[in-house]
Amino acid sequence: MTETHIDVVIADDQLLVRTGFSLILGAQPGIRVVGEAADGVECVEQARRLRPDVVLADIRMPRLDGLEVVCQLAGSEVADPMNVVLITTFDQDDYVRTGLRNGACGFLLKDASPGLLVEAVRAAARGDALVSPSVTVRLLRRLEESERGLRPGTEGAAVAGLSQRELEIVRLVAVGRTNQEICGELFLSLSTVKTYLARVQAKIQARNRVEIAAWAWAHGTVRPVE
């Protein structure tokens, strides 16, 4: 990513969705849609050739679905992973859980508002991947309920060697706070928050803040937020 623009590739088999997203993003200062793909194979090819800052990929696409797109562009074995935001609907919880584990850095509802679409792209590009309370936190909570029961605690934090401050930051990430919001709530500078997040990622072996959130919910370190 450069200081002047964010390059985006949009992949969705519905022309209206691609066109709508492209028009919204293309009208924003600092965002440039450099490619559109109608299926997953085309998405992977364009992404590897164009090296965009953000890839928006629908979960359900012909030839190659969004889950496999995430694996190929952002999976654990990818040397230089990209920022892939999956486009989803409310009836795709199982798919989204898999996408999260495969390396997706955010999720976006197909009927999201223009403002949320733009924020999702900007957040992913700056490494502050969107963890939307309306999408990801809901899914993570269901994951935690199925795997552990709704039991907040600090067992996982103790095992990982997280400090109290690191645990506070993890909990805020898990309920959808951005870095700037964490700064305001904990009275820390942005550079300090980023330093803590880097330490947390190293300790729990997470690649991005979505994986930090998943870890927090799976280990019962987050209290439900209604």
Side-chain angles (χ1 to χ4, degrees):
M1 186 183 74
T2 69
E3 294 182 356
T4 57
H5 62 262
I6 298 169
D7 286 347
V8 181
V9 165
I10 301 170
D12 195 294
D13 60 337
Q14 297 184 41
L15 177 59
L16 285 177
V17 173
R18 294 199 311 272
T19 301
F21 281 11
S22 182
L23 289 173
I24 292 169
L25 294 173
Q28 299 298 314
I31 297 180
R32 181 174 65 182
V33 177
V34 296
E36 295 183 25
D39 61 64
V41 172
E42 186 181 2
C43 174
V44 170
E45 186 277 327
Q46 286 197 31
R48 287 174 174 169
R49 175 169 52 86
L50 299 171
R51 298 299 305 181
D53 303 296
V54 179
V55 176
L56 289 175
D58 188 20
I59 284 184
R60 292 176 180 169
M61 291 187 290
R63 299 177 70 195
L64 202 68
D65 65 23
L67 301 178
E68 184 59 31
V69 167
V70 171
C71 282
Q72 294 195 23
L73 298 180
S76 58
E77 297 183 0
V78 177
D80 189 12
M82 300 183 197
N83 298 312
V84 182
V85 176
L86 287 175
I87 304 169
T88 182
T89 61
F90 268 116
D91 64 348
Q92 296 177 320
D93 285 7
D94 291 338
Y95 292 101
V96 174
R97 284 196 292 270
T98 301
L100 186 152
R101 290 180 173 128
N102 287 354
C105 73
F107 302 96
L108 183 72
L109 287 177
K110 186 163 286 191
D111 61 354
S113 68
L116 188 57
L117 168 63
V118 173
E119 174 55 24
V121 168
R122 294 192 186 282
R126 66 176 179 260
D128 192 20
L130 184 71
V131 183
S132 171
S134 66
V135 184
T136 310
V137 169
R138 176 181 64 88
L139 296 168
L140 292 171
R141 182 184 299 179
R142 289 187 57 176
L143 174 64
E144 192 267 354
E145 287 173 339
S146 66
E147 293 187 354
R148 285 177 53 92
L150 216 50
R151 300 194 306 273
T154 59
E155 299 93 336
V159 171
L162 298 183
S163 68
Q164 185 61 39
R165 179 63 83 184
E166 288 166 346
L167 182 58
E168 290 174 341
I169 289 176
V170 164
R171 284 171 170 162
L172 290 175
V173 167
V175 295
R177 301 296 193 270
T178 66
N179 284 357
Q180 291 289 355
E181 289 171 335
I182 293 173
C183 291
E185 292 196 33
L186 299 183
F187 304 101
L188 299 172
S189 69
L190 183 59
S191 62
T192 299
V193 169
K194 289 182 176 179
T195 296
Y196 276 122
L197 284 173
R199 291 175 183 171
V200 169
Q201 285 181 234
K203 288 181 178 181
I204 68 174
Q205 299 182 330
R207 288 170 295 172
N208 53 50
R209 68 195 299 110
V210 176
E211 290 192 359
I212 292 175
W215 181 92
W217 283 97
H219 287 80
T221 59
V222 186
R223 288 180 173 80
V225 177
E226 301 300 338

